[in-house]
């Protein structure tokens, strides 16, 4: 996985059939604008976290079709030799804008916008959505788990339960961005330069003649990271007493504190009993780690029961986002540009949420200057200007009588340039910087938006000009 792979063919086949159609129809020089966005937050949440931009950038920078790819098309399609020559010389020449990775984001707003010759823009669709959807799914789930843990460390332990090696590595990266600072995945740690963690499995304990001997051997090898797995046989009767015996013999003379991990049983009860016994025996600094199919709901329940847990190891329910495992990002045409000028495009549906918002747009986040909190996102046409020195009236695009007058506010453009005329103009931050940015994004949201149960609806509003354009195009489409 550390050797660069040519993933240009990782695409839905219809992207190429459409590309050939554009080519044969004389449209290859037509400029198209596509928006990537999503329609609802996973798990009924109030917001999501954007991840996957780094993969999108890498894909766009390196997209090309080699001789093997061209030969595949020659043997398996009726594409003309002229089109195959076009693919052989293919490179991205357009513009891309995107939210910074780690951004809080909301349904129906353009997260990534591509403006390029229509064939180029079309061919990017599959990989762009693949990266946005999976990265954002894991980042969003991780952030929910991190918030449920209320300051306790969350470690990503999902490698063995992920849907394949790419998912395990990329998912671990997205988890780090969203607040899980340690991974069990050694390859992800190596590739992205952040800490790997883990101590022992039950097999380690079972492989020795006794649990005590397994703990003793481990403590001598790793005194500075001595977290002992105490549920192989019996947590309170054997595991914890053996752990404390090893603490006394090996760690106490070194002035080091150890810890224990519980991976089964009634974790709330067992953690409280372990904490009581550890404290009574002078091990108040000993840490208690919990694992075993945990997620934000189980963590919330454990803490409500008074569980004494210092950190959590989260595997399958994080890396697969098990409770809501599909992030529904889509990629829709919103404008074409040719010799006739710029023409906004719309998709109309009987499902209101599937009606797209036309045109090349700008996304602004509006902050209250007094609180520093984000109040709403405001989408305009690209050419519109927002004067933050003047009051701004925003309105719900579906229930237009719901209005809010914004005063004493400041604005931030959410999309930033990533590619211009085919050249990357964006310097990707270090993963630690993305993590810090993600923390600041979540902090800027009201607690009501961050509730797990029936969160407050964060408004994504349209400008008057954009709303009018959308309504006019809907009426025009319906009259045909």
């Amino acid at each position: 996985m550390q050797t660069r792979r040519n993933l240009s063919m990782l695409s839905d086949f219809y992207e190429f059939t459409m590309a050939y159609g554009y080519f044969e129809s004389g449209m290859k020089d037509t400029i198209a604008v596509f928006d990537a966005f999503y329609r609802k937050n996973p798990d009924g949440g109030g917001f999501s976290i954007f991840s996957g931009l780094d993969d999108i950038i890498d894909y766009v920078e390196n997209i090309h079709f080699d001789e093997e790819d061209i030969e595949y098309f020659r043997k398996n399609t009726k594409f003309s030799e002229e089109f195959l020559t076009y693919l052989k010389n293919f490179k991205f020449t357009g513009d891309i804008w995107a939210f910074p990775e780690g951004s809080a984001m909301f349904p129906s707003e353009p997260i990534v916008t591509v403006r390029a010759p229509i064939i180029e823009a079309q061919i990017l669709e599959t990989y762009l959505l693949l990266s946005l959807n999976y990265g954002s799914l894991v980042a969003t789930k991780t952030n929910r788990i991190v918030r449920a843990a209320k300051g306790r460390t969350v470690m990503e332990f999902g490698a063995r339960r992920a849907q394949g090696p790419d998912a395990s590595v990329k998912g671990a990266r997205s988890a780090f961005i969203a607040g899980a600072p340690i991974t069990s995945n050694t390859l992800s740690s190596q590739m992205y330069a952040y800490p790997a963690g883990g101590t022992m499995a039950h097999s380690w304990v079972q492989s020795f003649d006794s649990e005590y001997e397994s703990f003793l051997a481990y403590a001598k090898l790793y005194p500075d990271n001595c977290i002992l797995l105490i549920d192989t046989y019996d947590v309170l009767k054997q595991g914890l007493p053996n752990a404390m015996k090893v603490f006394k013999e090996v760690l106490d003379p070194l002035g080091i504190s150890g810890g224990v991990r519980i991976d089964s049983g009634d974790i709330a009860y067992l953690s409280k009993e372990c904490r009581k016994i550890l404290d009574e025996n002078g091990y108040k600094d000993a840490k208690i780690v919990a694992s075993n199919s945990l997620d934000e709901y189980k963590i919330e329940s454990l803490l409500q029961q008074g569980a004494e847990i210092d950190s959590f190891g989260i595997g399958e329910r994080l890396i697969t986002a098990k409770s809501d495992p599909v992030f529904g990002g889509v990629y829709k045409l919103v404008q074409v540009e040719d010799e006739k000028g710029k023409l906004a495009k719309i998709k109309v549906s009987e499902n209101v949420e599937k009606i797209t918002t036309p045109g090349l747009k700008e996304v602004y986040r509006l902050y209250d200057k007094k609180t520093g909190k984000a109040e709403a996102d405001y989408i305009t046409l690209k050419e519109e200007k927002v004067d933050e020195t003047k009051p701004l009236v925003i309105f719900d695009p579906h229930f237009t009588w719901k209005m809010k007058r914004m005063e004493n506010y400041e604005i931030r453009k959410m999309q930033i340039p990533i590619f211009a005329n085919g050249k990357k103009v964006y310097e990707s931050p270090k993963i630690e910087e993305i993590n810090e940015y993600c923390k600041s994004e979540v902090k800027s949201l009201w607690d009501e938006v961050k509730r797990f149960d029936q969160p407050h609806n964060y408004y994504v509003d349209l400008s008057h000009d954009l709303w009018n354009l959308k309504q006019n195009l809907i009426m025009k489409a319906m009259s045909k």
Side-chain angles (χ1 to χ4, degrees):
M1 286 183 64
Q2 289 179 286
T3 301
R4 181 175 301 284
R5 295 171 294 172
N6 179 13
L7 298 176
S8 305
M9 295 286 279
L10 203 172
S11 174
D12 292 295
F13 188 70
Y14 76 178
E15 309 293 5
F16 295 111
T17 62
M18 287 187 287
Y20 182 51
Y22 295 138
F23 187 87
E24 290 297 310
S25 300
M27 295 174 62
K28 72 181 182 66
D29 295 323
T30 297
I31 300 298
V33 178
F34 283 83
D35 285 340
F37 60 95
Y38 70 104
R39 296 190 176 109
K40 70 180 186 69
N41 295 308
D43 291 304
F47 67 100
S48 295
I49 300 294
F50 175 41
S51 182
L53 178 60
D54 196 59
D55 279 344
I56 294 169
I57 292 171
D58 186 68
Y59 175 78
V60 173
E61 277 196 299
N62 294 284
I63 187 169
H64 68 279
F65 300 98
D66 56 30
E67 286 296 338
E68 184 180 359
D69 303 328
I70 301 302
E71 192 59 29
Y72 167 86
F73 287 127
R74 185 175 285 119
K75 289 182 178 180
N76 293 281
T77 72
K78 294 182 178 180
F79 295 165
S80 68
E81 286 299 319
E82 290 80 8
F83 180 65
L84 296 182
T85 299
Y86 170 85
L87 288 181
K88 188 174 182 179
N89 297 318
F90 185 94
K91 66 177 181 177
F92 183 73
T93 63
D95 307 321
I96 297 178
W97 299 267
F99 280 30
E101 201 164 14
S103 292
M105 59 182 182
F106 303 92
S108 301
E109 57 188 9
I111 308 304
V112 181
T113 296
V114 177
R115 179 184 176 274
I118 193 165
I119 296 176
E120 297 177 24
Q122 192 74 68
I123 286 175
L124 296 189
E125 177 177 9
T126 302
Y127 196 88
L128 188 153
L129 286 178
L130 181 160
S131 301
L132 181 154
N133 282 330
Y134 181 65
S136 301
L137 179 73
V138 174
T140 302
K141 187 64 172 181
T142 301
N143 191 257
R144 289 172 62 85
I145 292 169
V146 167
R147 286 184 284 122
K150 297 186 182 301
R152 297 165 180 83
T153 298
V154 170
M155 297 169 283
E156 182 276 312
F157 282 2
R160 64 187 61 186
R161 300 291 172 82
Q163 275 91 347
D166 286 283
S168 71
V169 173
K170 303 298 184 181
R173 178 184 181 276
S174 292
F176 181 92
I177 287 170
I182 298 170
T183 182
S184 67
N185 190 318
T186 312
L187 179 57
S188 191
S189 170
Q190 180 187 30
M191 288 176 65
Y192 300 115
Y194 70 99
T199 55
M200 64 176 66
H202 296 105
S203 57
W204 170 269
V205 180
Q206 294 171 286
S207 65
F208 286 78
D209 290 338
S210 69
E211 184 179 57
Y212 163 73
E213 290 175 275
S214 74
F215 289 173
L216 183 65
Y218 193 89
K220 289 179 178 179
L221 286 170
Y222 305 107
D224 293 319
N225 185 32
C226 188
I227 305 296
L228 304 175
L229 182 59
I230 61 173
D231 73 328
T232 304
Y233 305 114
D234 187 295
V235 171
L236 299 178
K237 292 182 180 179
Q238 292 178 252
L240 186 59
N242 283 327
M244 290 191 297
K245 184 177 180 182
V246 169
F247 292 165
K248 183 175 182 180
E249 293 174 359
V250 179
L251 303 188
D252 286 1
L254 299 174
I256 296 172
S257 295
V260 297
R261 178 163 72 94
I262 306 169
D263 189 54
S264 61
D266 187 333
I267 292 176
Y269 167 75
L270 291 172
S271 68
K272 287 187 283 187
E273 289 299 303
C274 285
R275 183 77 275 158
K276 178 183 176 182
I277 295 169
L278 286 166
D279 290 353
E280 288 173 348
N281 285 272
Y283 295 110
K284 293 184 177 182
D285 292 332
K287 303 300 182 184
I288 299 176
V289 181
S291 53
N292 186 28
S293 296
L294 301 176
D295 61 13
E296 70 269 38
Y297 304 108
K298 289 190 175 183
I299 290 172
E300 200 170 49
S301 177
L302 286 170
L303 297 183
Q304 287 172 354
Q305 296 172 63
E308 294 283 356
I309 300 170
D310 297 291
S311 60
F312 297 93
I314 317 292
E316 64 190 47
R317 292 174 183 262
L318 182 157
I319 205 70
T320 66
K322 183 178 180 181
S323 57
D324 195 353
V326 177
F327 197 90
V330 295
Y331 186 78
K332 298 299 181 182
L333 179 70
V334 295
Q335 182 169 291
V336 294
E337 305 169 14
D338 55 23
E339 66 279 358
K340 299 175 185 177
K342 298 178 181 179
L343 185 62
K345 295 288 184 176
I346 192 168
K347 177 190 181 295
V348 178
S349 172
E350 291 184 4
N351 296 330
V352 175
E353 70 275 8
K354 289 196 171 186
I355 299 176
T356 59
T357 301
L360 181 59
K361 298 175 288 292
E362 195 75 75
V363 182
Y364 295 94
R365 188 152 294 168
L366 310 179
Y367 296 88
D368 186 305
K369 283 187 176 181
K370 288 184 179 179
T371 63
K373 296 293 186 182
E375 294 290 330
D377 282 11
Y378 185 61
I379 308 177
T380 72
L381 292 166
K382 195 77 167 180
E383 62 267 20
E384 290 186 74
K385 303 298 180 185
V386 179
D387 186 352
E388 58 191 308
T389 66
K390 297 179 180 179
L392 178 66
V393 177
I394 59 177
F395 61 93
D396 187 301
H398 302 296
F399 307 101
T400 55
W401 60 90
K402 293 184 178 182
M403 299 184 181
K404 181 173 183 177
R405 182 181 174 88
M406 297 291 298
E407 297 184 24
N408 195 30
Y409 65 96
E410 58 186 1
I411 64 174
R412 175 165 72 104
K413 285 185 179 182
M414 291 305 297
Q415 285 194 337
I416 57 177
I418 308 298
F419 286 87
N421 298 318
K423 302 294 184 182
K424 189 177 79 165
V425 294
Y426 174 73
E427 188 65 35
S428 298
K430 294 180 179 178
I431 193 171
E432 294 83 3
E433 295 172 322
I434 302 173
N435 168 253
E436 288 299 320
Y437 169 71
C438 183
K439 289 178 184 176
S440 69
E441 283 284 278
V442 175
K443 185 178 179 180
S444 74
L445 302 177
W446 289 100
D447 288 342
E448 291 81 357
V449 176
K450 293 184 276 189
R451 286 195 301 251
F452 294 151
D453 186 33
Q454 296 183 328
H456 173 73
N457 181 38
Y458 182 94
Y459 288 106
V460 177
D461 296 337
L462 308 183
S463 70
H464 284 273
D465 288 352
L466 180 55
W467 189 87
N468 285 333
L469 173 64
K470 184 173 183 176
Q471 298 307 309
N472 290 336
L473 288 177
I474 292 172
M475 296 304 295
K476 183 178 179 181
M478 298 301 289
S479 66
K480 291 181 178 179

